[in-house]
Amino acid sequence: MYRSLIKPLLFRLDAEDAHHLTIGLMDAASRVPAWPALARRVTAPASPMLEQTLWGQRFASPVGLAAGLDKNGVAVPAFTALGFGFLEVGTVTPLPQPGNDRPRLFRLPQDGALINRMGFNNAGMTDLHARLGALGARPAPVWVNIGKNKVTANEDAAQDYRRCVAALQDVADAFVVNVSSPNTPGLRALQGADDLGALVREVMQEVEAQRVRTLKAPPVLVKLAPDLHPADFEASVDAAVTAGASGLIISNTTLSRDGLTHANQEETGGLSGRPLTRRATELVRAAYRQTGGRVPIVGVGGIFTAQDAYNRIRAGATLTEVYSALIFEGPGLVRDLNTGLARLLARDGFTHVREAVGTAG
């Protein structure tokens, strides 16, 4: 029904208007008593092959929701009800900010891609804390993607990340340090090995400082861009892991426009979707080889099918995330990915998803 009826209607709207409408409906669904929990019973992964425990947290599926769709955490129960193993909300900044001017979100249907230049539009860390704090029991971990405000200079960026940690540690199951969005001026410069190592150490120090108050120390992951030179990518991976990061997310959106056919390719911003599939898989493989699997890798970028997710896992990803595919394929995507992954694992003689990680490296 999504592909034949709902998607054509949504795609007649401006892309951002359609996004806000969808999130509004998901927000409303989240407020319906008992509905998310009942829906979860139907959509939750049925195969124990997919279940993992990482950082002391249970993941019923290796398929998660990437940051950017639910920036303000308004629809966590409804997204959980789709069958995700975990969710990533944000990017959140200390202060609310409107982001870049509209239009700032563009579809490229025949390319299976999106271009966005949103610019970390969000309601701020205080608003997100209130929303996540009101959730109650969570059937899936909720990660918080954190960034700096646009007006904050790079030399002061660490303070913004630390403020987010201090404000949200009691409601976050993990933090994702976002230094790879192309839509905040100068942000990607923080991916340089020296700057990144220093930033991650600052974030880790704040997590430790908040441990006594919150009685928890969420893992810290670092999200990297796909556009780094191979030597710079290797240096950034090493810097993040050496500084104490618990995991890597590979990758963010790209500035590349190779192979695109839609007229919207001329728009500035970060590209996500199918054009990233091969590049993101290669980067996961490179990071897994470099780290020897010492830290979990989350593979994101161009995952549309169970085979895409399986390829990412065999390249070295312990978990995966989707974003653009959910917009193009609809809510049934999550269940299809979970069912398909279990089938592919069984076909190849694996009894558990962890056995497949890195086997195609």
Side-chain angles (χ1 to χ4, degrees):
M1 186 174 69
Y2 176 81
R3 294 181 186 177
S4 61
L5 179 60
I6 298 175
K7 179 180 172 181
L9 292 174
L10 287 175
F11 274 45
R12 289 182 182 180
L13 300 175
D14 168 81
E16 187 170 350
D17 289 341
H19 171 78
H20 289 312
L21 175 61
T22 302
I23 292 296
L25 292 173
M26 296 287 281
D27 180 14
S30 295
R31 300 171 188 272
V32 176
W35 176 82
L38 291 173
R40 178 78 176 179
R41 293 182 183 179
V42 176
T43 61
S47 175
M49 299 171 70
L50 302 180
E51 184 176 333
Q52 302 177 80
T53 299
L54 299 165
W55 309 294
Q57 301 171 23
R58 176 183 175 271
F59 295 77
S61 160
V63 179
L65 178 69
L69 269 176
D70 192 2
K71 291 177 178 290
N72 298 310
V74 301
V76 168
F79 276 117
T80 301
L82 297 183
F84 283 111
F86 64 104
L87 309 174
E88 189 177 337
V89 299
T91 299
V92 65
T93 53
L95 301 175
Q97 60 182 27
N100 296 321
D101 293 338
R102 295 184 62 172
R104 54 190 180 179
L105 180 62
F106 308 89
R107 306 184 191 95
L108 293 76
Q110 59 258 47
D111 297 311
L114 300 171
I115 291 175
N116 91 82
R117 51 173 181 263
M118 305 300 286
F120 287 175
N121 56 308
N122 74 103
M125 63 187 188
T126 302
D127 181 87
L128 182 60
H129 182 275
R131 293 184 185 279
L132 296 185
L135 285 178
R138 304 176 186 180
V142 179
W143 298 0
V144 177
N145 185 300
I146 57 177
K148 77 175 187 72
N149 281 113
K150 184 177 181 178
V151 297
T152 301
N154 275 13
E155 54 265 31
D156 299 320
Q159 295 308 308
D160 274 14
Y161 289 89
R162 293 190 71 144
R163 288 176 65 192
C164 287
V165 169
L168 294 162
Q169 182 151 315
D170 61 327
V171 294
D173 293 314
F175 287 112
V176 177
V177 176
N178 189 349
V179 288
S180 50
S181 169
N183 300 317
T184 295
L187 183 73
R188 284 190 166 189
L190 295 174
Q191 290 181 113
D194 291 343
D195 287 338
L196 181 59
L199 176 60
V200 173
R201 285 190 290 272
E202 290 264 9
V203 171
M204 298 299 297
Q205 288 169 8
E206 190 62 40
V207 168
E208 186 60 30
Q210 297 297 325
R211 182 199 292 264
V212 174
R213 179 181 65 85
T214 63
L215 302 179
K216 60 187 294 190
V220 174
L221 295 87
V222 175
K223 188 168 188 174
L224 296 174
D227 303 323
L228 289 166
H229 183 277
D232 293 332
F233 179 80
E234 182 176 342
S236 294
V237 167
D238 183 66
V241 174
T242 301
S246 301
L248 302 168
I249 298 185
I250 301 171
S251 64
N252 211 319
T253 57
T254 180
L255 294 175
S256 171
R257 298 295 188 264
D258 292 346
L260 299 182
T261 60
H262 195 278
N264 280 340
Q265 67 178 287
E266 303 298 330
E267 298 292 344
T268 59
L271 175 78
S272 62
R274 288 191 186 279
L276 260 177
T277 304
R278 179 176 296 182
R279 176 63 175 159
T281 303
E282 291 172 351
L283 288 173
V284 166
R285 183 176 290 109
Y288 184 79
R289 287 173 176 170
Q290 180 181 340
T291 62
R294 295 195 310 275
V295 296
I297 296 170
V298 183
V300 58
I303 294 176
F304 277 68
T305 67
Q307 186 66 56
D308 293 334
Y310 188 52
N311 292 345
R312 208 65 55 92
I313 289 167
R314 295 199 64 207
T318 302
L319 300 171
T320 63
E321 290 181 335
V322 297
Y323 178 114
S324 300
L326 192 63
I327 294 170
F328 284 103
E329 304 298 324
L333 170 74
V334 188
R335 192 173 187 182
D336 290 345
L337 293 178
N338 287 328
T339 302
L341 271 175
R343 184 176 63 250
L344 290 167
L345 289 165
R347 182 199 67 185
D348 291 346
F350 296 114
T351 61
H352 194 275
V353 65
R354 64 174 170 265
E355 298 171 1
V357 175
T359 55

